[in-house]
Amino acid sequence: MRKKIIKKIKYIVIFVIILSVLPDCSQDIYAKEQDEVHNVLILHSYHQGFTWTKEENDGIMDYLSSHGSNIIMYTEYLDWKNYPSEYNLDLLEQSFRFKYLNKNIDLIIATDDSALKFAINHRKELFSDAPIVFCGINQEGYSEIIRDIRRATGVIETIDPTRTYEIASELNPSVKNIYLIYDNSESGLSTGKIVTDRLLEKDPTLNIIPCNNMVYQDLLQLVANLTEENIVLITTYYSDVENHILDLEYVTREVSKYSSVPVYHLYDFGLNNGAIGGAMLSGRMQGELAASMALRILNGENIENVHVVAPQTIRLAFDYQQLERFELPLDRLPKECEIINQPFSFYRTYKTFVHSVIIAFAVLITFVCILLFYIRIIKRMKKNLSDSHEELTQLYEELAASEEEMKQQYDEILIINEKLRKGEENLLYLAYHDSLTGLPNKLSLYEDAKLIFNGDSKKSALYFIDIDNFKYINDTMGHDFGDQLIIEVGNRLSSLLPDNSILYRLSGDEFILIMENINASSEAEEFAKKILNHFTKEFDVLNSTLHVSLSIGIVLYPEHGHNVEHLLKYADIAMYQAKISGKKNYVIYNKEMIKAFTERVTIEKYLHNALDNNEFEVHYQPQFDIRRNRVTGLEALLRWNNPVLGRVPPLKFINIAEDTHCIIPIGNWVLEKACSFLKELQNKGYRDLTISVNISILQLLQTDFYDIVKNILKKYEIEPHLLELEITETVLIESFDTIVDKLEKLAKLKVRIALDDFGKGYSSLNYLKQLPINTLKVDKSFVDHITERDCNLLAGQIITIGKSMGMCVVAEGVEHQEQLEYLARHECDKIQGYLYSKPITETELIEFLEQSNR
């Protein structure tokens, strides 16, 4: 009996142990399953900044991130719109072959036609023969690409503009014509055909006008003159008939800006870019559906059971501001329609409550009014009995007013009327004239332009005149001085006017001059030369004498445009071209100039937020001491890498940064970044290195620049003599009187001053003696030709000048051994250039210094 009890106890213990082990095993199995990683390649047809691609990518990645687990996503862009060539695909194939050599791709998500074709053609040898899920493919593309391809499924992009047309017709029953905007690319022509077929199937009487064979400027002029029976529908438009590359969001904004009728859109990213709305395709919804199908396959479902779908990935939405602009009623929109940018309305939100309060308040007011009415009647009856005598007496006194008093009042009325008349005349004059110069103003210009540019064949010229360096003069001499200078410039221009011309002040330092009835463009050029010649004479302003030059942009009517807005725009572009060509010049507009202007506008657009978006970085170029045979200094050089524009050369954005005054915060950031890095190098043992930082004239003009430098040195515990501030020779020449005091103050702090690009300008030795300059940098243009006899004599003389004045001489752009040997013979102190090192990042520089020490 005892043995049986012991045996039972053993069985119970074994059972408990098994129960305790089983959960741990199940947890291990679950953990192993959880540790399984899926590699998903997201392959896009177009570039990263393309809005449709971004929305598809966001939809895919957000869905996979929120619904899946242990998914590693790799994203690649074919950039087919910018590089539509087989050579580009061959390069991508080589790159992908290297990148995914040892990666097992479990699934490919391809967006749009080019990515799908590439994935089908190369998945076997590049991407582990993974299954494919696609999106952004229309019905024609699906029929052409997929056919009998196995292990591929996805979402077909259903292009159906009929719902948009129905709503547009409801909003405006008079619509008869649709101007269809698409380009001549493969996808553009395909989309244009599908949209046209669907609309004609819906309404055979509808007139579809394609705009794929138009120049972009002609398109803007076309939409500006459309009547109420027309609407505009934008589909796929990335280049005009002359293959000028365009941004679709920019096109949407510009077309909407100029259009006299509502602009509908095929895609929902047109919202907030000027499109009124419609039943629009959503790239995000396409991406989310494709991601959901991909997740089913990754979770083990057979791809053959995940069928191709063609859902309505439509976002029905309208922009309230555009509806208001074209006075279209909200109550005609479908109930399910989304309205964006609609201001908050307390009445709309609490309509029932507001009505109840109004009714209650009206009843209360009515009751109070009735009560007050009867009270007043009673009081009036009592008062009438007692005051009737006073009223009769007062009436008698009013009728007995003397004739002299009446005449005096009449005379006062005549004086008031005369003052009113003069006041109206003065207001009318002020409305059409500039208050500072007395010249006709912008309003007057637009009024006169309607008569001058009235469509006849008479040739006229419009001059856009801008004072060179006016911002600098204004900041240096003060606003009162600037105002007086504008008056003097206006007077001198007015004195040159022929009978067939008129001068306007547009704004700031900008003047507009229109010359009517000219015979040829040469006549316009001759007058421009005359203006420039008369501005060689100096101005005497507030007891100060200075020379002022002008930059002039010229457009011809009707050759360059037919309305004042376009003519002003093109003249402004030509004036800017005159500025960048050296100022003190005139330029006649041509169509090629708009490319440079567009590039500048684009760079300026992204430059404003570049610092906040951390797009800048500082590279460093070592300075090699020839005598000591080692690195003794670094020059900090600014670099910009924008997600859309890519790497932008400093020569393209530095001048724009100075024009927009963005250079001030950017320059201060570079100064602090350089000092911070120098402190890091000191902590690593490099305690005798100096750092050189380029400084803009606008920074030097800031009243707190000295304090900024001093505070940064204190913050990072940097000895002042280790910091060197570089100014260009051009700044020295143009701003000597303004900057000399500030440079001497910095020199007293022991901060070193370097004169950069020496030899390019015409600075005299007298300037060099008066300024506290420690370092003279020989410009690369002299070093490049140092082996030539004439140039090497000049370079040697520059070195001799610097050494004789006790300066450290640094040669820039040294790339060849022969150049180094020449500089060593002439006792040049330091060199920097590609012979020794190109500008490199902080990490690369630390490795470079460590290798140099070894």
Side-chain angles (χ1 to χ4, degrees), residues 279-304:
M280 298 164 291
L281 287 168
S282 170
R284 185 177 185 89
M285 294 170 68
Q286 285 267 322
E288 288 174 349
L289 280 172
S292 68
M293 298 172 77
L295 201 57
R296 288 168 58 189
I297 297 168
L298 292 175
N299 289 335
E301 188 171 348
N302 191 331
I303 192 171
E304 303 299 330

Side-chain angles (χ1 to χ4, degrees), residues 299-326:
N299 289 335
E301 188 171 348
N302 191 331
I303 192 171
E304 303 299 330
N305 297 329
V306 182
H307 301 295
V308 175
V309 296
Q312 289 284 336
T313 52
I314 296 299
R315 180 183 176 193
L316 187 59
F318 281 81
D319 190 328
Y320 178 86
Q321 295 174 353
Q322 294 297 320
L323 291 169
E324 286 288 298
R325 173 187 170 188
F326 294 104

Side-chain angles (χ1 to χ4, degrees), residues 215-216 237-246 592 595:
V215 177
Y216 175 62
Y237 190 80
Y238 297 96
S239 62
D240 64 4
V241 71
E242 293 182 352
N243 290 324
H244 293 147
I245 302 302
L246 300 164
E592 295 300 320
K595 294 180 181 178

Side-chain angles (χ1 to χ4, degrees), residues 290-396:
S292 68
M293 298 172 77
L295 201 57
R296 288 168 58 189
I297 297 168
L298 292 175
N299 289 335
E301 188 171 348
N302 191 331
I303 192 171
E304 303 299 330
N305 297 329
V306 182
H307 301 295
V308 175
V309 296
Q312 289 284 336
T313 52
I314 296 299
R315 180 183 176 193
L316 187 59
F318 281 81
D319 190 328
Y320 178 86
Q321 295 174 353
Q322 294 297 320
L323 291 169
E324 286 288 298
R325 173 187 170 188
F326 294 104
E327 300 180 348
L328 298 176
L330 282 170
D331 55 1
R332 293 188 183 178
L333 293 175
K335 297 291 185 183
E336 68 275 15
C337 185
E338 175 189 355
I339 307 296
I340 68 169
N341 297 325
Q342 186 172 13
F344 174 78
S345 172
F346 182 88
Y347 173 77
R348 193 183 304 108
T349 307
Y350 305 101
K351 187 174 182 179
T352 304
F353 173 76
V354 170
H355 285 172
S356 301
V357 170
I358 291 173
I359 293 172
F361 189 77
V363 171
L364 180 61
I365 290 297
T366 303
F367 176 78
V368 171
C369 289
I370 293 172
L371 184 61
L372 290 174
F373 176 74
Y374 280 105
I375 291 173
R376 284 188 176 185
I377 289 176
I378 294 171
K379 286 185 176 181
R380 190 178 297 116
M381 291 173 66
K382 291 180 179 180
K383 190 176 181 181
N384 286 342
L385 294 174
S386 60
D387 294 340
S388 57
H389 180 70
E390 290 183 10
E391 291 177 359
L392 291 172
T393 303
Q394 184 177 357
L395 180 61
Y396 174 79

